[in-house]
Amino acid sequence: MTLPALATLACSAQAADSCAFYKGKTVELVVPFSAGGGYDIYGRMVAKYMGDELGAAHMIVRNQPGAGGLLATNQTWSAPPTGLRIELMPTSGMITAELGGADGVQFKSGGFSWIGRLTGEPDIVGTYPGSPLKTVDDLKRLSAERTVKIGSVGLGDMDYVEGELMGLVLGLNYNVVTGFASVPEVYSALSRGC
């Protein structure tokens, strides 16, 4: 995950007085997904410390879900470059959506001012509790019998990109199902065996 900003002020590693721009101001940290998911948790952890580092009077987290992150990213792109709106961005998903020509992309990833990367967690494939799927070979056997469903929030979401890549690389008979409001909703569907 990467934090892009329209402002070019990078103050946290500099002296506190170099962040005078933020003094007394409210900074908005946009999380492009619903509350309760991984990005929301990261956003709240970042906001807890970043506002103080900037010297801002307030740093608020605003969840703005929609279209797998595209809605918020489009709005960050078109917002006035005041330096007071920062977005926690699913970088790989947004870049892939842009390069792949996904409907609705209105931004240019290279036009954002990038602040930093939060994490580099390994990716995993999860199934519902009690699933007979334990290996990639199990997944391929299931794919030979029926369509494998892969849950995702939307086109800009990393789960979508990775689901598509996994299906193509492994030669699966698959369908990436979009439209979930959040990753916890995807997990809930998995737990029900959907």
Side-chain angles (χ1 to χ4, degrees):
M1 282 183 259
T2 306
L3 284 173
L6 294 177
T8 57
L9 297 173
C11 303
S12 61
Q14 301 171 1
D17 60 305
S18 67
C19 290
F21 168 80
Y22 292 101
K23 187 175 172 94
K25 295 182 180 171
T26 297
V27 179
E28 178 182 46
L29 179 62
V30 175
V31 175
F33 301 106
S34 298
Y39 277 81
D40 183 55
I41 292 167
Y42 282 130
R44 291 178 193 286
M45 286 186 333
V46 167
K48 182 176 180 179
Y49 300 102
M50 190 175 191
D52 290 341
E53 288 294 317
L54 294 174
H58 305 283
M59 184 155 201
I60 59 169
V61 175
R62 185 163 67 90
N63 295 86
Q64 189 178 1
L70 290 177
L71 177 67
T73 305
N74 283 337
Q75 290 185 4
T76 297
W77 176 255
S78 63
T82 63
L84 299 175
R85 180 182 171 110
I86 298 171
E87 182 181 333
L88 183 65
M89 186 179 288
T91 310
S92 299
M94 293 301 99
I95 291 172
T96 305
E98 177 188 355
L99 294 177
D103 288 340
V105 173
Q106 299 168 6
F107 56 86
K108 300 287 183 203
S109 300
F112 288 108
S113 296
W114 300 92
I115 295 173
R117 183 174 176 91
L118 289 180
T119 184
E121 297 173 339
D123 296 320
I124 63 165
V125 175
T127 62
Y128 65 90
S131 169
L133 301 177
K134 306 291 183 211
T135 68
V136 171
D137 287 336
D138 293 341
L139 185 60
K140 288 180 177 180
R141 277 191 288 280
L142 176 65
S143 172
E145 297 169 12
R146 66 172 176 86
T147 302
V148 173
K149 295 178 190 172
I150 303 168
S152 173
V153 174
L155 296 178
D157 189 67
M158 198 61 213
D159 290 336
Y160 180 86
V161 174
E162 291 173 343
E164 287 287 339
L165 287 173
M166 181 179 71
L168 292 171
V169 169
L170 297 178
L172 301 177
N173 171 21
Y174 73 99
N175 179 28
V176 178
V177 180
T178 60
F180 292 94
S182 64
V183 172
E185 216 177 81
V186 174
Y187 295 156
S188 177
L190 276 174
S191 71
R192 294 189 311 270
C194 297

